[in-house]
Amino acid sequence: MSGGFLHGRSILLIVGGGIAAYKSLELIRLLRGEGASVRVVLTAGGARFVTPLSLAALSEGPVYEDLWSLKDEAEMGHIRLSREADLIVLCPASADRIARMAAGLGGDLADAVLLASDKRVLCVPAMNHRMWRHPATIRNIARLRSDGVEVMEPDTGAMACGEHGPGRLPEPPAILAAIRAMLGAGPLAGRHALVTAGPTYEAIDAVRYIANRSSGQQGFAIAGALAALGARVSLIAGPVALATPPGCTRVDVVSAREMAAAVDAALPADIAVMVAAVADWGVDAPAPGKLKKADGPPAPRFVANPDLLERIGAPSARRPRLVIGFAAETGDPEAEAVGKRVRKGADWIVGNDVSGDAMGGPDNAVLIATGEGVERWQPMAKREVARRLAERIAAALG
């Protein structure tokens, strides 16, 4: 097919075992709709859930199954299969297949293709939540990531076994977005986006600190959404326990001053989305050791932290073309967003009311203040806020 953000790209899809294998059919349809060519390797486990005929019909090509096929090895071979793809996608990836990858086994065609490849690999896990949380799987995932494999986080929800938890295969559109991000395909291809996310911790002594309730979820979702549209994303993250979105380069920091230094190092950028809840004040001289309770309450002297949004929004040769700030408020978010946009020199301010659980929950209700006025969005999942904001950014930059 011609046209689409993945036009001319070649995807090698390895269909692993598990009930979620049926979603690989929809993924092929989406990939073909974006102009990608798709070759399919079907594992023995995958063949118990989807047929070669279905995969061949949607991919419009042969399906490869047997490492010992004289015909396939003579005409194509696992070496060429692994080398001619722009990206290898393992979907679904069972606990067994992940363990085989981590151990470097080569007993079947999928193993051999992965071992022979010098291309990037996207692994999309799907398994029972207890398998996902098992120490062996956790070790294997860590090994794959250290080897450079991109591993998506599974969704959480009801499973075919009747249990509930993390382990569901992400929906095909989310997998497509991760593929776009890894290939740098989309309306933001060639753009560099800087995103800050999460809280900062300001030390009082060697063990205590001042922080806020930011979970980092909204910032991470925005980073992933921008990467899914093809941007090269630098994600500056405060101390949060979240997986790095596909296609993002992550820098972990703790304090506001560390975040300011990381932001400076990441510039220049075309887009800056300053989502992090940066502490306004830090302690002038944190105690080098632990303050003792017997000595009474500490009386730290607070000093102002760098204002990251104001710094990046100021006119300069390194100012991003589009600077977006966030205003987390408990009073009048609209008035605060409008005023903050002018004070900080931002192009847009995304305001939200955090008097509820917005800073820790999965949903958000936001408004966007621009030079043209204020637009209110209905409450929605943070992922959806991120997707809509990313699309609006892409439209603004043309």
Side-chain angles (χ1 to χ4, degrees):
M1 291 184 183
S2 62
F5 294 127
L6 295 177
H7 175 62
R9 302 300 184 96
S10 176
I11 308 296
L12 179 61
L13 175 63
I14 300 175
V15 180
I19 186 62
Y22 77 91
K23 292 186 179 180
S24 65
L25 301 173
E26 174 66 7
L27 179 59
I28 294 172
R29 188 188 68 79
L30 293 175
L31 289 168
R32 297 286 292 142
E34 293 238 344
S37 64
V38 183
R39 284 179 172 151
V40 180
V41 170
L42 179 61
T43 67
R48 293 183 176 273
F49 297 93
V50 292
T51 67
L53 181 59
S54 298
L55 295 166
L58 289 170
S59 66
E60 301 182 22
V63 174
Y64 302 90
E65 299 182 74
D66 187 4
L67 178 62
W68 308 108
S69 167
L70 295 179
K71 177 179 182 297
D72 289 343
E73 284 299 295
E75 293 181 358
M76 174 60 66
H78 63 277
I79 300 297
R80 286 186 60 197
L81 270 175
S82 68
R83 302 289 171 81
E84 292 183 353
D86 294 307
L87 179 70
I88 297 176
V89 180
L90 174 54
C91 174
S94 65
D96 176 73
R97 183 61 59 180
I98 287 170
R100 297 176 67 86
M101 289 175 66
L105 300 183
D108 64 8
L109 180 58
D111 288 342
V113 165
L114 291 163
L115 280 176
S117 177
D118 57 357
K119 300 299 175 64
R120 298 184 70 188
V121 177
L122 174 64
C123 175
V124 192
M127 64 194 73
N128 175 269
H129 66 98
R130 288 188 176 86
M131 290 181 175
W132 175 250
R133 290 166 167 153
H134 194 281
T137 302
I138 293 171
R139 287 195 304 270
N140 292 332
I141 293 293
R143 170 62 63 85
L144 292 183
R145 285 175 169 156
S146 70
D147 288 345
V149 175
E150 194 77 59
V151 182
M152 289 187 72
E153 289 293 310
D155 284 350
T156 297
M159 300 181 177
C161 60
E163 296 184 353
H164 188 282
R168 284 171 56 96
L169 189 79
E171 292 303 314
I175 302 170
L176 174 66
I179 291 170
R180 275 188 186 174
M182 293 184 69
L183 292 177
L188 291 177
R191 308 280 192 180
H192 178 209
L194 166 65
V195 180
T196 65
T200 63
Y201 289 177
E202 308 302 322
I204 297 174
D205 62 13
V207 298
R208 300 178 180 90
Y209 58 83
I210 300 169
N212 58 62
R213 294 189 176 92
S214 174
S215 67
Q217 293 178 55
Q218 187 66 83
F220 272 60
I222 290 170
L226 291 170
L229 295 185
R232 176 172 66 88
V233 178
S234 297
L235 173 58
I236 314 300
V240 294
L242 297 173
T244 306
C248 297
T249 299
R250 177 174 176 173
V251 178
D252 287 309
V253 299
V254 175
S255 69
R257 295 186 181 277
E258 289 178 3
M259 184 170 284
V263 166
D264 288 344
L267 293 173
D270 302 289
I271 307 153
V273 189
M274 313 300 282
V275 194
V278 182
D280 294 320
W281 305 282
V283 175
D284 185 25
K290 179 183 177 182
L291 296 173
K292 301 302 181 182
K293 183 177 180 180
D295 294 335
R301 177 177 176 269
F302 290 99
V303 292
N305 277 326
D307 191 318
L308 273 61
L309 179 59
E310 188 173 78
R311 286 172 51 170
I312 206 167
S316 75
R318 302 213 312 165
R319 185 192 189 277
R321 180 176 167 187
L322 186 60
V323 174
I324 303 170
F326 269 63
E329 301 294 338
T330 57
D332 185 347
E334 181 171 330
E336 291 295 333
V338 170
K340 186 173 184 177
R341 191 189 74 82
V342 176
R343 291 195 309 273
K344 306 295 185 181
D347 299 297
W348 304 350
I349 291 290
V350 180
N352 65 320
D353 187 342
V354 296
S355 56
D357 66 347
M359 291 193 82
D363 301 325
N364 210 348
V366 306
L367 58 87
I368 300 181
T370 71
E372 288 71 47
V374 176
E375 177 183 334
R376 287 186 172 274
W377 291 359
Q378 294 297 316
M380 63 187 76
K382 288 179 177 177
R383 285 186 180 181
E384 182 63 13
V385 171
R387 184 191 67 79
R388 289 185 59 179
L389 184 62
E391 290 178 350
R392 181 163 182 158
I393 290 169
L397 295 181

